[in-house]
Amino acid sequence: MNVLVALKRVVDAEVSVRPTADGSAVDTANVRMAMNPFDEVALEEAVRWKEHALATEVVVVSCGPSACQDTLRTALAFGADRAVLVQADADLQPLAVAKLLKAVAEREGSGIIVCGKQAIDDDSGQTGQMLAALLGWSQAVAAAKVELGGDGALVTQEIDGGAEVLQLPLPFVLTVDLHLNHPRYPSLPNVLKAKKRPVEVLLPADLGVDVAPRLATVRIAEAPRRRGGGRVADVSELLSKLRDEARVIP
Ligand code: AMP
């Protein structure tokens, strides 16, 4: 079975982001980029299926500028079999990405598509759900455990106060949580080999998908700065500060 893993290139989780001067976007100029952490977990899970002969091929796909090839090559070093870049320089919103992923999955004949629970740049948490709806496939979101076998999977999702176990028939879309596994570090020889491996490049038009944005961003603003803390001399001073000064920060 062919497994498709969706990888988004995002600003590295360690970088503190800032809005551009005109407040229209997040400033990504000269900022370190990386694979979305949730997508690393998605990829690790798919590669383990391949290693346990539960999947025949793991194909990774990223939609975005040509620099996404770096992310795809990292995925090849992780153990993915093939990589596809859907190249688009414009901002891609979750619905457009879902349509592109649907088209790639149909082209590949995928039986499972694995996405992250959310991309850490836009925190949308929408793409996997939209993709399942467009395809008419089963879905489970925020998977914390997946037991794949036979003609489907048992998927455990963490919910308030416990866990919910779902049985999904194939084909299905899965979005994964960080608790699912610990992604491996690719070895240096694999990283070097991946640099020479081909990445198939497609355009949205090749897939017949209109990626025009449906939503307009009104403004991007930094969160208000937190004011520094201070020391109190004793408990009674603490209590009076809590009574007279403490307030909820909007
Ligand atoms: P989001 O709905 O934007 O929070 O993204 C959820 C998941 O969808 C991500 O973790 C990725 O697996 C996938 N995804 C989102 N955007 C892209 C993209 N541009 N290319 C490939 N996969 C994406």
Side-chain angles (χ1 to χ4, degrees):
M1 181 176 39
N2 173 295
V3 177
L4 187 67
V5 183
L7 307 177
K8 187 171 188 187
R9 180 175 179 265
V10 295
V11 173
D12 188 290
E14 302 295 319
V15 171
S16 16
V17 290
R18 290 174 179 284
T20 51
D22 65 359
S24 65
V26 170
D27 193 354
T28 53
N30 304 316
V31 164
R32 193 170 63 243
M33 307 293 281
M35 189 187 299
N36 183 40
F38 290 90
D39 304 353
E40 285 188 11
V41 173
L43 176 59
E44 174 67 37
E45 196 67 10
V47 170
R48 288 185 192 181
W49 294 337
K50 169 99 191 281
E51 288 167 348
H52 291 97
L54 295 167
T56 48
E57 191 179 32
V58 176
V59 178
V60 285
V61 54
S62 191
C63 311
S66 80
C68 294
Q69 295 209 23
D70 296 344
T71 313
L72 290 168
R73 283 184 203 286
T74 305
L76 291 170
F78 260 89
D81 295 298
R82 282 190 298 115
V84 179
L85 168 67
V86 183
Q87 193 169 332
D89 291 322
D91 177 39
L92 293 174
Q93 293 177 350
L95 180 59
V97 175
K99 290 178 180 172
L100 294 171
L101 295 178
K102 171 178 184 278
V104 174
E106 286 170 346
R107 213 166 156 266
E108 295 288 341
S110 310
I112 301 176
I113 308 173
V114 199
C115 299
K117 176 177 89 166
Q118 69 197 75
I120 61 165
D121 53 359
D122 60 16
D123 277 344
S124 297
Q126 298 176 356
T127 307
Q129 292 88 327
M130 288 177 167
L131 174 61
L134 289 171
L135 285 160
W137 291 8
S138 324
Q139 62 167 309
V141 296
K145 184 174 173 196
V146 182
E147 294 159 83
L148 182 62
D151 52 5
L154 278 184
V155 180
T156 306
Q157 305 178 149
E158 283 174 11
I159 55 170
D160 278 351
E164 182 177 42
V165 181
L166 300 177
Q167 180 150 34
L168 297 188
L170 287 166
F172 61 78
V173 176
L174 200 63
T175 78
V176 302
D177 211 341
L178 292 179
H179 303 146
L180 181 59
N181 61 46
H182 293 289
R184 67 196 65 192
Y185 290 101
S187 67
L188 185 59
N190 283 352
V191 171
L192 296 176
K193 269 189 243 158
K195 285 188 190 302
K196 296 191 189 123
R197 296 203 19 217
V199 171
E200 184 181 7
V201 181
L202 300 170
L203 298 174
D206 299 332
L207 299 166
V209 175
D210 170 14
V211 294
R214 303 285 200 275
L215 303 169
T217 302
V218 177
R219 187 166 53 94
I220 302 259
E222 257 183 284
R225 293 214 180 279
R226 296 177 71 170
R227 283 191 291 156
R231 278 184 182 276
V232 289
D234 51 31
V235 172
S236 61
E237 190 189 346
L238 172 64
L239 290 177
S240 74
K241 277 190 181 294
L242 286 174
R243 189 179 53 239
D244 303 331
E245 296 175 25
R247 64 192 169 84
V248 177
I249 299 171

